[in-house]
Amino acid sequence: MTESQLPFIDLKTIMANGKRVILKHGEKPYLLSITRRGKLILTAADDCKGSTPSQAT
């Protein structure tokens, strides 16, 4: 699959106007954050049980 064939999702859709959101990959949660300089950081989240993306922003 070439780069032009990959799905395109605007980050604004995922982040819902926030700076942090929890992504679930399999059974593991990950925290996606936007830094003050606009960089993206993806880290493993320790305990997100009961959290929803709206709570993480």
Side-chain angles (χ1 to χ4, degrees):
M1 186 179 289
T2 67
E3 192 171 317
S4 63
Q5 295 172 321
L6 293 174
F8 180 86
I9 300 171
D10 192 324
L11 192 58
K12 292 177 186 177
T13 303
I14 295 172
M15 302 305 284
N17 295 322
K19 295 285 185 183
R20 302 180 339 163
V21 67
I22 294 173
L23 302 174
K24 188 173 179 184
H25 178 58
E27 293 298 316
K28 296 182 181 182
Y30 292 86
L31 180 64
L32 179 63
S33 304
I34 301 176
T35 68
R36 284 181 253 163
R37 293 186 177 201
K39 306 286 183 181
L40 295 176
I41 299 175
L42 182 64
T43 55
D46 292 330
D47 183 18
C48 296
K49 291 182 181 181
S51 293
T52 62
S54 62
Q55 292 173 324
T57 56

